[in-house]
Amino acid sequence: MGLIVQKYGGTSVGDIDRIRNVARRVARTYDAGDKVVVVLSAMSGTTDRLIAMAEEACERPDKREMDVLLATGEQTTVALLAMILKCMGYQATSLLGFQAEVVTDCSCGAARILNIGASRIRRLLDDGQIVIVAGFQGSDAEGNITTLGRGGSDTSAVAIAAALKADTCEIYTDVDGVYTTDPNICKKARKLSRVSYDEMLEMASLGAKVLQIRSVEFAKKYNVPVHVRSSFKDEEGTMVMQEDADMERLVVSGVTCNKNEARITLKGVPDRPGIAFRILNPIAEAGILVDMIIQNTRSGNITDFTFTVPKTDIRDALEISKKVAEEIGAEEVMADPNIAKVSVIGVGMKNHSGVASKMFAAMCEENINMIMISTSEIRISCIIEEKYTELAVRALHTTFGLDRPEEKLS
Amino acid sequence: MGLIVQKYGGTSVGDIDRIRNVARRVARTYDAGDKVVVVLSAMSGTTDRLIAMAEEACERPDKREMDVLLATGEQTTVALLAMILKCMGYQATSLLGFQAEVVTDCSCGAARILNIGASRIRRLLDDGQIVIVAGFQGSDAEGNITTLGRGGSDTSAVAIAAALKADTCEIYTDVDGVYTTDPNICKKARKLSRVSYDEMLEMASLGAKVLQIRSVEFAKKYNVPVHVRSSFKDEEGTMVMQEDADMERLVVSGVTCNKNEARITLKGVPDRPGIAFRILNPIAEAGILVDMIIQNTRSGNITDFTFTVPKTDIRDALEISKKVAEEIGAEEVMADPNIAKVSVIGVGMKNHSGVASKMFAAMCEENINMIMISTSEIRISCIIEEKYTELAVRALHTTFGLDRPEEKLS
């Protein structure tokens, strides 16, 4: 007999029929002899509807009150699932964030979980009950309601699984697992049966929208095995877990792409110490996240300085850069929003050399120019022209042997 | 500087514009130098929508989970009002039932308030804040969310006013006060400037839908002056308060009517001790509330036994009565749903004789037959044929001098 935490996302609880479907799945797990804690999101669309309501009410809704408002979304789904399970003859109890003792800091709208008491969850489980916890929400030390930010229910689920030392945390979503790349871009994309926490972190931050990054960090920290799977199918999905020897056989596990960045270049910058700080500090102070940075020496004491920022911040970043350029005597500032970042990810890279040159060769063969390159221990990313994104993803997917095996295609 | 509790009902917070209107009214009170606690209902229609949702989910929704679901209604309005007030530059904080320490018993769906801690409300008020409390909800000793039943926000408001020893509890609603009778029935109905708790209790239980009965009981018990008024107008409404000498000048303060009862008669019942118990006990055991009871001796040992029950229970009551009639050897059972109860109410009756005979004379003059009569210290009610309801109300309104003064009509 195990203890399983199951998290169902917004589309899985999108209407009453779908909540009934969730109830049947939960009941099946319970009937199989496992203890079950269920963590729910709000019905899909609810959070957006509530935000629109708040924005109709006032221009800049107060964050504390926004959290009070948003928390109603999960409150609705946990009550509905609990009543359906009870009508099916199961003992079930819903718990809101504060009732499940999900203690967070006070940063409303993006609160971080500090601790999960879980004493009431444990008592209810010991009592043979199915426990249904509202995801995405908690309360701070003063008892104010807080929310964890977009996708926070994943983090709730993993944190509760960690607190209860659950055997698995199952994340039910509308995709059936983690793929080698986006199946919409590359038809040969293949579901991974296992992926390591670190790979998942790189994939999540690079654009695979399966799991919230923070939930993966949590899972890694507390070593919670996370099973990503579809609530509409019965097949196994992808296990996100500690890396093992077996995983390393695959040099690259996935190819990701991301069109959310834009590039800014300051041309003709005097090449002297401290110049990177002069340029990037005002950007950071404006709360803009810089991703990649490159500095090319051109000739003599002159250099070109390039960095990428989120596309949504391009206007602000450009304005700041122009001001700095004038101060430091740079020649010109250019902005380019038509770029994409393509990455290959794999824990196997740690023990294999030549991944980068193989990647560069594949890009060269397709005549794709790499504008910027950055690497980590388990990732190589490059910035290319946006129009080549899909071509690059497919080429890399084939190059690193990720295409779906022939026999599965027939 | 006073402390005022203001409660706004569902129609007063029916949409964002109306909540803005509430915000302006609250701000005006605050600007005048008073401390303000606001208690809100859910937007009109929300509670019905949530109940419909629960009934779509399962046939008999669990009561505990229903309360979790329903509590989202008030949570939404308090968050919206708080964010609007903050955007207007006021310091405001919303509190849910449990945050305001509204402690209730565990009877979900119809919980009774046991205690209101209110320490956090006091702290926020001392801090100069406007405090906005979700009405209708509380939590039990275990921290489960409970709701107080239909109209429970009135009770929340009065109970909070009692706990804080507020100067007044203002109940904002879609009518502008308590009237001598229903203005839809009698155009000459007149707004009362004051009415006693006892009169209000009689009026509420007899069909005037202005205030929830329990809130008036609470107000009476803790001597909280309640000001019933419209959220769409500026005029004063009606003060519900302890009776004073002045009130007694008016013998009758109001005329009410109620078409929600039906009559059951057992004819030819053997007239012996214990027969009333034999008839009414099974009715009570079925959870049916009996209102009026009459037993007429006909001749010898035979009597007719008549009582009224809510119209919605007439089928069950009739079935039970037929069974009892057979057991005790009664001749016949008859049910009549086409009746109405008309009442005159006034604390002045205590010191004035002749009210009953004046009432009966008025009914006689209109050729209205009184089927049953019952009285209390401050009320005389009679059951008449339903079709005469409006005629009876208007006749009594005139008879007891309640018609609007001529000069106000022009």
Side-chain angles (χ1 to χ4, degrees):
Chain A
M1 187 170 115
L3 168 53
I4 296 178
V5 175
Q6 297 188 330
K7 181 260 171 179
Y8 294 89
T11 50
S12 305
V13 294
D15 57 35
I16 300 284
D17 272 343
R18 289 190 170 183
I19 298 178
R20 274 205 204 94
N21 175 48
V22 166
R24 281 189 291 270
R25 203 174 258 276
V26 170
R28 222 188 307 150
T29 310
Y30 182 86
D31 289 341
D34 289 315
K35 292 187 176 181
V36 191
V37 176
V38 183
V39 177
L40 297 186
S41 297
M43 291 184 181
S44 51
T46 297
T47 303
D48 288 333
R49 187 176 52 75
L50 292 171
I51 290 173
M53 200 187 232
E55 285 172 350
E56 192 196 333
C58 45
E59 223 168 282
R60 290 194 183 182
D62 178 77
K63 283 187 179 175
R64 177 191 184 276
E65 302 303 336
M66 186 61 119
D67 279 3
V68 175
L69 184 65
L70 291 181
T72 61
E74 286 72 21
Q75 186 163 337
T76 302
T77 48
V78 295
L80 290 170
L81 179 62
M83 55 179 74
I84 291 172
L85 278 166
K86 280 178 180 168
C87 285
M88 286 166 66
Y90 292 86
Q91 279 193 288
T93 298
S94 74
L95 296 179
L96 304 180
F98 77 94
Q99 293 171 325
E101 300 155 73
V102 178
V103 182
T104 72
D105 61 17
C106 339
S107 43
C108 290
R112 299 189 78 88
I113 295 177
L114 298 178
N115 184 39
I116 293 187
S119 64
R120 188 152 180 210
I121 301 181
R122 273 199 204 92
R123 236 184 309 134
L124 289 166
L125 287 176
D126 288 344
D127 199 31
Q129 300 231 15
I130 296 167
V131 184
I132 301 153
V133 182
F136 179 66
Q137 56 177 251
S139 68
D140 68 12
E142 265 203 272
N144 295 304
I145 289 181
T146 54
T147 69
L148 311 179
R150 283 270 163 185
S153 293
D154 289 344
T155 307
S156 300
V158 173
I160 288 168
L164 295 170
K165 298 189 173 42
D167 297 292
T168 321
C169 179
E170 297 182 340
I171 304 281
Y172 286 90
T173 173
D174 49 358
V175 298
D176 54 1
V178 180
Y179 276 71
T180 48
T181 194
D182 184 346
N184 295 319
I185 291 177
C186 176
K187 280 187 192 146
K188 293 175 178 167
R190 167 163 73 72
K191 191 171 71 188
L192 291 162
S193 59
R194 286 181 304 180
V195 68
S196 73
Y197 296 125
D198 287 328
E199 285 169 322
M200 194 65 225
L201 280 173
E202 292 285 4
M203 288 185 189
S205 62
L206 290 170
K209 289 151 199 156
V210 184
L211 277 176
Q212 201 204 18
I213 296 181
R214 266 199 291 158
S215 73
V216 184
E217 289 168 351
F218 232 103
K220 183 185 174 190
K221 187 169 171 191
Y222 295 100
N223 195 18
V224 178
V226 175
H227 188 176
V228 179
R229 60 196 303 189
S230 164
S231 58
F232 306 109
K233 294 180 188 171
D234 278 335
E235 296 119 60
E236 304 255 304
T238 302
M239 284 302 292
V240 187
M241 53 197 291
Q242 269 189 322
E243 62 188 79
D244 60 21
D246 202 37
M247 281 180 183
E248 291 178 17
R249 263 189 255 153
L250 213 60
V251 177
V252 165
S253 316
V255 180
T256 66
C257 63
N258 168 356
K259 297 181 182 178
N260 304 327
E261 291 182 25
R263 177 172 61 131
I264 288 186
T265 303
L266 283 79
K267 290 207 157 187
V269 173
D271 189 9
R272 56 171 189 257
I275 206 77
F277 177 79
R278 282 287 300 274
I279 296 170
L280 295 179
N281 190 47
I283 299 279
E285 278 182 346
I288 299 170
L289 285 173
V290 171
D291 178 25
M292 288 167 80
I293 302 162
I294 278 185
Q295 185 172 347
N296 280 344
T297 305
R298 215 163 53 175
S299 69
N301 299 350
I302 295 291
T303 182
D304 293 342
F305 194 92
T306 305
F307 56 94
T308 65
V309 295
K311 250 178 207 163
T312 47
D313 291 326
I314 183 72
R315 192 191 295 259
D316 290 347
L318 189 59
E319 202 173 292
I320 294 167
S321 300
K322 280 185 176 162
K323 218 190 223 162
V324 175
E326 211 166 299
E327 287 167 18
I328 61 176
E331 288 165 13
E332 194 187 355
V333 180
M334 285 160 51
D336 180 7
N338 301 315
I339 59 164
K341 182 159 78 171
V342 176
S343 309
V344 297
I345 294 150
V347 286
M349 283 185 206
K350 290 182 192 174
N351 307 309
H352 288 78
S353 57
V355 175
S357 55
K358 201 168 172 184
M359 179 179 187
F360 303 157
M363 301 294 265
C364 177
E365 197 154 307
E366 301 292 346
N367 275 317
I368 302 170
N369 185 34
M370 292 180 291
I371 304 167
M372 299 167 85
I373 297 165
S374 80
T375 61
S376 82
E377 207 184 7
I378 63 164
R379 173 182 55 82
I380 306 171
S381 301
C382 60
I383 297 288
I384 59 173
E385 279 185 79
E386 189 173 2
K387 63 182 175 185
Y388 294 124
T389 312
E390 291 76 16
L391 176 64
V393 167
R394 283 190 288 259
L396 293 171
H397 200 265
T398 303
T399 297
F400 288 102
L402 297 175
D403 289 355
R404 202 190 291 261
E406 295 283 343
E407 65 265 36
K408 286 210 180 172
L409 278 177
S410 64
Chain B
M1 187 171 113
L3 168 53
I4 296 179
V5 175
Q6 298 188 328
K7 181 259 169 180
Y8 294 88
T11 49
S12 305
V13 293
D15 58 34
I16 299 284
D17 272 342
R18 290 191 170 181
I19 299 177
R20 273 204 205 98
N21 175 48
V22 166
R24 282 188 291 270
R25 204 174 257 276
V26 169
R28 224 188 305 150
T29 311
Y30 182 87
D31 288 341
D34 289 314
K35 291 186 176 182
V36 192
V37 176
V38 184
V39 177
L40 296 186
S41 298
M43 290 181 180
S44 52
T46 298
T47 303
D48 288 333
R49 187 176 54 73
L50 292 170
I51 290 174
M53 201 188 232
E55 285 172 350
E56 191 196 333
C58 45
E59 224 168 279
R60 290 194 184 181
D62 179 78
K63 283 186 178 176
R64 178 192 184 275
E65 302 304 335
M66 186 61 119
D67 279 3
V68 175
L69 184 64
L70 291 181
T72 60
E74 286 72 22
Q75 187 164 335
T76 303
T77 48
V78 295
L80 289 171
L81 179 61
M83 56 180 72
I84 290 172
L85 278 166
K86 280 176 180 169
C87 286
M88 285 166 66
Y90 293 85
Q91 278 193 286
T93 300
S94 74
L95 296 179
L96 304 180
F98 78 92
Q99 292 171 326
E101 299 156 73
V102 178
V103 182
T104 73
D105 61 17
C106 339
S107 43
C108 291
R112 299 189 79 87
I113 295 176
L114 300 178
N115 184 40
I116 294 187
S119 64
R120 186 150 181 213
I121 300 181
R122 271 199 206 91
R123 233 182 313 135
L124 288 166
L125 287 175
D126 288 345
D127 198 31
Q129 301 232 11
I130 296 168
V131 184
I132 301 153
V133 182
F136 179 66
Q137 58 177 248
S139 66
D140 68 12
E142 265 203 273
N144 295 303
I145 289 181
T146 55
T147 69
L148 311 179
R150 282 270 161 187
S153 293
D154 290 343
T155 307
S156 300
V158 173
I160 287 168
L164 295 170
K165 298 191 173 43
D167 297 291
T168 321
C169 178
E170 297 182 338
I171 305 282
Y172 287 89
T173 172
D174 47 359
V175 299
D176 55 3
V178 180
Y179 275 72
T180 49
T181 195
D182 183 346
N184 295 319
I185 292 178
C186 175
K187 281 188 193 146
K188 294 174 179 168
R190 166 163 75 71
K191 191 172 70 187
L192 291 161
S193 60
R194 286 181 305 178
V195 68
S196 73
Y197 296 125
D198 287 326
E199 286 170 322
M200 194 64 223
L201 280 173
E202 292 285 5
M203 287 185 190
S205 60
L206 291 170
K209 288 151 200 157
V210 184
L211 277 176
Q212 200 203 20
I213 296 181
R214 267 199 292 158
S215 73
V216 184
E217 289 168 351
F218 232 104
K220 184 185 173 188
K221 187 170 171 190
Y222 295 100
N223 195 16
V224 178
V226 174
H227 188 176
V228 178
R229 59 196 304 188
S230 164
S231 58
F232 305 109
K233 295 180 188 169
D234 278 335
E235 295 121 61
E236 303 255 305
T238 302
M239 283 303 291
V240 187
M241 53 195 292
Q242 269 190 323
E243 63 187 80
D244 60 22
D246 202 35
M247 280 180 184
E248 291 177 17
R249 263 189 256 153
L250 213 59
V251 177
V252 165
S253 316
V255 180
T256 65
C257 63
N258 166 358
K259 298 181 180 177
N260 303 327
E261 291 183 24
R263 177 173 62 132
I264 288 184
T265 302
L266 284 79
K267 288 209 157 183
V269 172
D271 189 7
R272 57 171 188 256
I275 207 77
F277 177 78
R278 283 287 299 274
I279 296 169
L280 296 179
N281 191 47
I283 300 280
E285 279 181 346
I288 299 170
L289 284 174
V290 171
D291 180 24
M292 286 166 82
I293 303 162
I294 277 185
Q295 186 172 347
N296 279 345
T297 306
R298 215 161 55 172
S299 70
N301 299 353
I302 295 293
T303 183
D304 293 343
F305 193 93
T306 305
F307 58 93
T308 64
V309 295
K311 249 177 205 161
T312 47
D313 291 325
I314 183 71
R315 193 193 294 257
D316 290 348
L318 189 59
E319 202 174 293
I320 295 166
S321 300
K322 279 184 176 164
K323 220 193 225 160
V324 174
E326 211 167 298
E327 287 167 18
I328 60 174
E331 288 164 14
E332 194 187 356
V333 180
M334 286 161 49
D336 180 7
N338 301 315
I339 59 164
K341 182 159 78 169
V342 175
S343 310
V344 297
I345 294 150
V347 286
M349 281 186 208
K350 289 182 192 174
N351 307 309
H352 287 80
S353 58
V355 176
S357 56
K358 201 168 172 184
M359 179 179 189
F360 303 157
M363 302 295 264
C364 177
E365 197 155 307
E366 302 291 347
N367 275 319
I368 302 170
N369 185 34
M370 291 179 291
I371 303 166
M372 299 169 84
I373 297 164
S374 80
T375 61
S376 82
E377 207 183 8
I378 64 164
R379 174 181 56 82
I380 306 171
S381 302
C382 60
I383 297 289
I384 61 172
E385 280 185 78
E386 189 173 0
K387 64 182 174 184
Y388 294 125
T389 313
E390 291 76 14
L391 177 63
V393 167
R394 285 191 286 257
L396 293 170
H397 200 264
T398 303
T399 295
F400 288 102
L402 298 175
D403 288 356
R404 202 190 291 260
E406 295 282 344
E407 67 266 32
K408 286 211 178 170
L409 279 175
S410 63

